Amino acid sequence: HPILFSTTVYKNVEFGLKVRQVPKSRRPDMIEASLERVGMRDFMHARGGELSGGENQRVAIARALACSPQVMLFDEPTASVDVNHQIVIEEIIRDLHSREGISIILSTHNLSQAAKLVHKRIYLFEGRASAFTHENIYHGPVITQGGRRYCLVREKYPFPIDGAEDGPVKISIDPASIEIRKVQGATGKSEGWLNGCINQLALERDRVRILVDVGIPLNILLYAEAYAEMNLSIGESVRIRCPKEAVAVI
């Protein structure tokens, strides 16, 4: 959540220039250019408290941009904004690098967003840099059904596991090992399969990242060729299954 001063958008963007002792005569053009860059020029005289979360975020970007940075840091930049503003802010971040030549350091839990925006990734796990990433992380108690062991996520979604002791566990589900099918005909329950809907698609090198809502969000990775054969689209109903080998207790 960016913090804006309780004054106008103009004065918020001016603050950094004032601190850096930029001559007053140069400030208006720099402020207007920065606000224009993020699509907020028409809000120049609005007060910070009157803006939406996404508008606040864009003013904060303009405030930093006015100071001509070589590097900008973004911490979960779209975590608290609606979908429309998320798209706008992602475009702004992409353009800041491609058009302005600004280096961007971005922290996010949104791996689909990372796939769209970044060139180099560093994964963190439990506060440390990791050579690999755990995805689709959930926790729940261990249960036994039909002689098989499962982690029961949110008291509703059982995922098969191996070798875990009784009690709560944390699991990671490999997105490349999750099976996905188009829904054919009726959508009744099938053993081990969950019904869901595709919410997001993102190209990630030679793969497509698919975010499926099955009651909980699950990231799935498909090679581009497999994705093209299935011809999946946003909003489409699908079924997914997590085989035991896709689930690791961490």
Side-chain angles (χ1 to χ4, degrees):
H1 297 279
I3 297 173
L4 299 186
F5 302 119
S6 55
T7 182
T8 64
V9 166
Y10 183 97
K11 289 186 177 180
N12 268 279
V13 179
E14 184 183 32
F15 177 76
L17 301 175
K18 191 174 181 180
V19 168
R20 287 162 176 76
Q21 299 182 344
V22 174
K24 200 167 185 178
S25 61
R26 290 180 53 203
R27 293 178 200 168
D29 287 345
M30 298 172 75
I31 292 166
E32 288 187 30
S34 296
L35 288 170
E36 182 72 34
R37 188 68 193 77
V38 299
M40 290 294 291
R41 190 176 183 278
D42 291 343
F43 292 79
M44 192 182 303
H45 302 298
R47 301 188 71 82
E50 299 171 352
L51 304 178
S52 69
E55 290 164 349
N56 270 330
Q57 200 79 295
R58 289 154 69 186
V59 171
I61 294 171
R63 183 170 58 185
L65 188 59
C67 299
S68 302
Q70 292 180 316
V71 180
M72 294 182 73
L73 310 179
F74 288 86
D75 180 16
E76 298 282 4
T78 60
S80 59
V81 304
D82 60 36
V83 173
N84 289 335
H85 270 108
Q86 177 177 321
I87 294 169
V88 170
I89 290 169
E90 286 177 354
E91 284 297 321
I92 291 170
I93 292 172
R94 184 184 287 110
D95 287 351
L96 288 176
H97 177 72
S98 62
R99 296 186 184 181
E100 311 289 341
I102 298 171
S103 296
I104 306 293
I105 299 175
L106 171 75
S107 70
T108 181
H109 286 86
N110 186 336
L111 295 173
S112 295
Q113 183 178 79
K116 288 184 284 185
L117 295 179
V118 307
H119 299 102
K120 180 179 179 181
R121 284 172 289 182
I122 299 173
Y123 295 109
L124 298 179
F125 181 66
E126 295 185 343
R128 297 170 184 264
S130 174
F132 57 93
T133 180
H134 291 293
E135 297 190 41
N136 299 316
I137 298 174
Y138 294 100
H139 66 273
V142 175
I143 62 170
T144 302
Q145 290 182 350
R148 299 178 182 177
R149 306 273 277 172
Y150 297 88
C151 173
L152 187 63
V153 175
R154 297 188 186 174
E155 302 180 350
K156 187 175 180 181
Y157 306 99
F159 294 97
I161 55 174
D162 262 334
E165 298 179 358
D166 291 339
V169 296
K170 184 184 289 186
I171 61 170
S172 171
I173 306 171
D174 178 8
S177 299
I178 298 175
E179 299 174 21
I180 182 169
R181 293 179 180 173
K182 276 191 169 187
V183 168
Q184 304 290 341
T187 59
K189 288 186 177 180
S190 298
E191 181 65 31
W193 290 84
L194 298 172
N195 296 322
C197 178
I198 296 177
N199 280 355
Q200 291 181 12
L201 295 169
L203 186 62
E204 187 170 326
R205 297 184 179 89
D206 60 344
R207 299 190 185 191
V208 176
R209 181 175 291 277
I210 307 168
L211 181 63
V212 177
D213 182 0
V214 296
I216 58 174
L218 284 172
N219 277 284
I220 300 172
L221 282 175
L222 278 184
Y223 281 106
E225 296 85 352
Y227 166 77
E229 286 180 10
M230 295 184 71
N231 192 28
L232 299 170
S233 59
I234 292 175
E236 188 160 15
S237 295
V238 293
R239 283 181 172 176
I240 68 101
R241 186 177 80 90
C242 298
K244 187 167 58 175
E245 56 270 20
V247 185
V249 176
I250 57 174

